[in-house]
Amino acid sequence: MPTWLVIIIVIAAVLAVGAAAWFVVAEQRRRRLRETFGPEYDRAVKEHESPREAERDLSSRMKRHSDLDIRPLPQTTKDRYAQEWALIQEQFVDRPSGAVVEADRVLVSLMAERGYPTEGYDQQLADLSVRHANAIRHYRAGHDTLERHRESEMSTEDMREAMKHYRVVFEDLLTDGGEGAESHGKQASGNRGNGTADHGTRRGDDGPARRGSDRSDR
């Protein structure tokens, strides 16, 4: 066999092995991104010109996220936020749109408390998508309703749906996807019942905070 033919065969074999290795690495990366981002992966693919461009975007989100100082919340901070959320739900009965505005504000405050930058809505979505991918669609839905309401007044039912979406995000951020925030909400209600809240008088555990929660989540 001529030497040149041997060289061509060797080069072809090396290229084939390299292509196979590249394919395996690409598939592993794609699987890791799908597991991390869930439905957000498919959304990114639809928004970009190609899956490869979408994967570059998602990979850059992961790199940025790894540089952030994301921290868990101490129990006292969780209880404080749960108390604040319960008060917002009380307000929903009389001021639905005002309650949704407050809910949006609390979510941004909670993001900052966890260590997420809050310089803009789009960046918030990108940063949260790495660790809170399942809650992102709820954040989008709630925020979109609030933005539409600012342009043309939405119904109370629309506001109620926005609150329900925001609550999913709130619970996910508060517990980092761990135990639900129900326990923190009950603790906050209990604190008000024991007269330890900053405002208000003694209330039972099933007082107005719970009733407000029920109304806004229906």
Side-chain angles (χ1 to χ4, degrees), residues 2 4 19 22 29-30 38 57 77 101 106 127 136 142 153 162 166 170 176-177 195 202 207 214 217:
W4 62 267
W22 178 88
R29 181 183 62 204
R30 183 171 295 113
D57 174 38
T77 303
V101 170
V106 168
D127 291 337
I136 286 300
E153 186 171 352
Y166 273 166
F170 174 77
D176 209 14
R202 290 176 61 88
D214 292 342
D217 285 351

Side-chain angles (χ1 to χ4, degrees), residues 152-214:
S152 176
E153 186 171 352
M154 307 292 285
S155 68
T156 299
E157 186 58 36
D158 290 327
M159 294 292 101
R160 181 177 291 110
E161 287 300 312
M163 280 294 294
K164 290 167 68 175
H165 286 301
Y166 273 166
R167 175 162 182 154
V168 173
V169 185
F170 174 77
E171 292 182 349
D172 205 58
L173 275 170
L174 194 70
T175 64
D176 209 14
E179 62 173 347
E182 282 294 322
S183 60
H184 303 295
K186 290 177 181 177
Q187 178 66 40
S189 297
N191 287 343
R192 287 195 298 277
N194 293 329
T196 57
D198 292 336
H199 302 286
T201 57
R202 290 176 61 88
R203 301 175 185 170
D205 288 344
D206 295 323
R210 188 57 180 270
R211 291 199 299 273
S213 172
D214 292 342

Side-chain angles (χ1 to χ4, degrees), residues 71-73 77 80-81 108-116:
R71 48 194 176 270
L73 299 177
T77 303
R80 173 168 56 82
Y81 272 100
V108 175
S109 174
L110 184 53
M111 291 177 208
E113 194 95 45
R114 291 293 312 276
Y116 287 100

Side-chain angles (χ1 to χ4, degrees), residues 3-218:
T3 302
W4 62 267
L5 182 58
V6 173
I7 294 174
I8 290 177
I9 292 175
V10 170
I11 292 175
V14 170
L15 290 176
V17 171
W22 178 88
F23 180 79
V24 170
V25 170
E27 281 300 306
Q28 289 177 341
R29 181 183 62 204
R30 183 171 295 113
R31 187 180 304 112
R32 179 167 57 95
L33 291 172
R34 282 186 178 277
E35 290 174 352
T36 299
F37 290 96
E40 187 70 12
Y41 176 92
D42 296 324
R43 183 185 180 90
V45 170
K46 290 179 181 179
E47 290 180 344
H48 291 79
E49 294 182 357
S50 68
R52 184 177 299 179
E53 185 178 342
E55 289 172 4
R56 281 199 297 267
D57 174 38
L58 296 175
S59 295
S60 69
R61 296 190 203 182
M62 292 181 68
K63 184 179 185 306
R64 172 183 163 91
H65 188 279
S66 67
D67 293 332
L68 299 177
D69 181 22
I70 307 301
R71 48 194 176 270
L73 299 177
Q75 189 63 44
T76 53
T77 303
K78 290 181 180 180
D79 291 342
R80 173 168 56 82
Y81 272 100
Q83 243 183 8
E84 190 170 359
W85 189 265
L87 291 174
I88 290 173
Q89 291 187 143
E90 284 185 46
Q91 296 171 15
F92 184 89
V93 177
D94 298 318
R95 297 175 56 250
S97 60
V100 175
V101 170
E102 280 297 292
D104 186 83
R105 179 192 63 77
V106 168
L107 285 183
V108 175
S109 174
L110 184 53
M111 291 177 208
E113 194 95 45
R114 291 293 312 276
Y116 287 100
T118 57
E119 63 263 30
Y121 172 66
D122 290 337
Q123 190 60 59
Q124 291 169 16
L125 287 176
D127 291 337
L128 290 175
S129 67
V130 178
R131 199 161 175 173
H132 301 275
N134 292 330
I136 286 300
R137 67 182 182 89
H138 294 282
Y139 191 31
R140 283 195 179 98
H143 186 81
D144 288 349
T145 298
L146 181 57
E147 288 300 304
R148 291 199 307 272
H149 178 73
R150 287 168 175 161
E151 297 176 359
S152 176
E153 186 171 352
M154 307 292 285
S155 68
T156 299
E157 186 58 36
D158 290 327
M159 294 292 101
R160 181 177 291 110
E161 287 300 312
M163 280 294 294
K164 290 167 68 175
H165 286 301
Y166 273 166
R167 175 162 182 154
V168 173
V169 185
F170 174 77
E171 292 182 349
D172 205 58
L173 275 170
L174 194 70
T175 64
D176 209 14
E179 62 173 347
E182 282 294 322
S183 60
H184 303 295
K186 290 177 181 177
Q187 178 66 40
S189 297
N191 287 343
R192 287 195 298 277
N194 293 329
T196 57
D198 292 336
H199 302 286
T201 57
R202 290 176 61 88
R203 301 175 185 170
D205 288 344
D206 295 323
R210 188 57 180 270
R211 291 199 299 273
S213 172
D214 292 342
R215 291 187 189 184
S216 63
D217 285 351
R218 284 176 187 168

